[in-house]
Amino acid sequence: MRIDVLTIFPEFFSVLDVSLLGKARQAELVQANVHDLRTWAAMKADGTPDIHRTVDDAPFGGGAGMVMKADVWGRALDDVLQPGGVLVIPSPAGVPFTQALAADLARADQIAFACGRYEGIDARVAEHYDAVGFRVLELSLGDYVLNGGEVAAFAMIEAITRLIPGFMGNAESIVEESHADGLLEYPSYTRPASWRGLDVPDVLLSGHHGKIESWRREQQLERTRIRRPDLFADPREGVAQ
Ligand code: ADE
């Protein structure tokens, strides 16, 4: 898989080398390229030089904040997006990023992450690349506002790359983890069996695999019902998109 990140803060992504992704990169499962958006801001929309390398401008219609310029993003994405690539635009106004989407995107040949700052990217950028045939996804990490798309892109890259076939050592732990089947994961324990007066549930020490499995299933259902009733109502809802 090829990952391209476009950002005005390329240094933020130096952490890609030290995260889990470092291993996938070494195993050549992932090739990650981080680009400074300002590389494409050396000229204005009318073709004259822009010594300030401006990437944003005031919103049409007024209002607070600045909007990132379509012409700069267009030049950058024309250079970076490969045929068949997926364009991901992290945005608090996007559809929720889920484990099912991560698994889907783990099969992509290329993903380009367009990290916006300020009030986001001129809406015509998503519209244009969709119109010319790219898969364009505006994705939200959750119902809160970050300063920009960088942290969200990084989280998505980690969630996606660990699902690339051959990346994780233990395929079973992916099948059993939270959200893999639309439910939260059951609680886990290790030695010692008794700690500060708290005992590991007897069933887990019983060696009875059938009972352990049904206990874990009950725990999944109970946790999900209490913590995430939205998932419990329909375990697939919000997962399959
Ligand atoms: N950019 C700012 N906030 C965001 C969020 N919650 N998800 C994705 N991108 C964002």
Side-chain angles (χ1 to χ4, degrees):
M1 176 188 291
R2 170 175 161 174
I3 290 176
D4 291 273
V5 180
L6 295 111
T7 170
I8 56 167
F9 295 113
E11 64 279 15
F12 178 91
F13 290 89
S14 56
V15 70
L16 277 178
D17 289 321
V18 292
S19 78
L20 266 183
L21 180 54
K23 282 187 206 152
R25 251 174 141 172
Q26 279 159 20
E28 294 182 5
L29 292 169
V30 176
Q31 185 213 338
N33 314 301
V34 181
H35 312 273
D36 186 344
L37 181 70
R38 289 192 201 275
T39 308
W40 290 275
M43 77 183 178
K44 298 180 187 167
D46 62 9
T48 61
D50 179 2
I51 54 160
H52 303 294
R53 296 187 178 246
T54 312
V55 294
D56 62 323
D57 204 342
F60 277 122
M66 300 287 268
V67 179
M68 296 189 97
K69 291 159 65 61
D71 56 299
V72 176
W73 276 106
R75 283 194 295 270
L77 290 167
D78 284 350
D79 280 353
V80 166
L81 261 178
Q82 304 294 302
V86 181
L87 173 58
V88 171
I89 306 176
S91 163
V95 300
F97 177 66
T98 60
Q99 186 69 11
L101 263 174
D104 175 4
L105 289 170
R107 294 191 296 267
D109 291 328
Q110 187 208 10
I111 308 173
F113 289 89
C115 300
R117 285 260 145 182
Y118 319 110
E119 295 306 302
I121 300 172
D122 187 307
R124 290 169 295 182
V125 173
E127 201 184 316
H128 167 75
Y129 287 97
D130 178 67
V132 297
F134 288 96
R135 185 174 178 203
V136 179
L137 297 169
E138 290 184 69
L139 300 179
S140 171
L141 209 56
D143 293 337
Y144 39 80
V145 179
L146 306 166
N147 282 335
E150 284 79 6
V151 168
F154 189 79
M156 292 178 203
I157 290 169
E158 189 157 305
I160 293 164
T161 54
R162 63 191 290 284
L163 298 178
I164 294 175
F167 177 49
M168 282 272 282
N170 184 357
E172 226 172 65
S173 68
I174 285 184
V175 175
E176 290 193 7
E177 68 196 2
S178 289
H179 301 294
D181 59 0
L183 296 172
L184 303 186
E185 196 176 10
Y186 50 78
S188 298
Y189 307 86
T190 186
R191 279 182 284 264
S194 185
W195 176 75
R196 298 193 181 180
L198 299 170
D199 295 337
V200 170
D202 284 340
V203 63
L204 298 178
L205 311 176
S206 70
H208 193 299
H209 294 301
K211 283 187 185 159
I212 291 170
E213 212 176 292
S214 49
W215 181 85
R216 284 179 167 166
R217 188 71 187 169
E218 278 164 32
Q219 291 291 313
Q220 280 195 284
L221 294 169
E222 185 63 0
R223 263 194 171 180
T224 307
R225 191 182 62 77
I226 292 167
R227 297 181 180 180
R228 295 292 304 275
D230 55 317
L231 294 180
F232 190 73
D234 175 358
R236 304 312 307 172
E237 198 183 308
V239 173
Q241 347 228 340

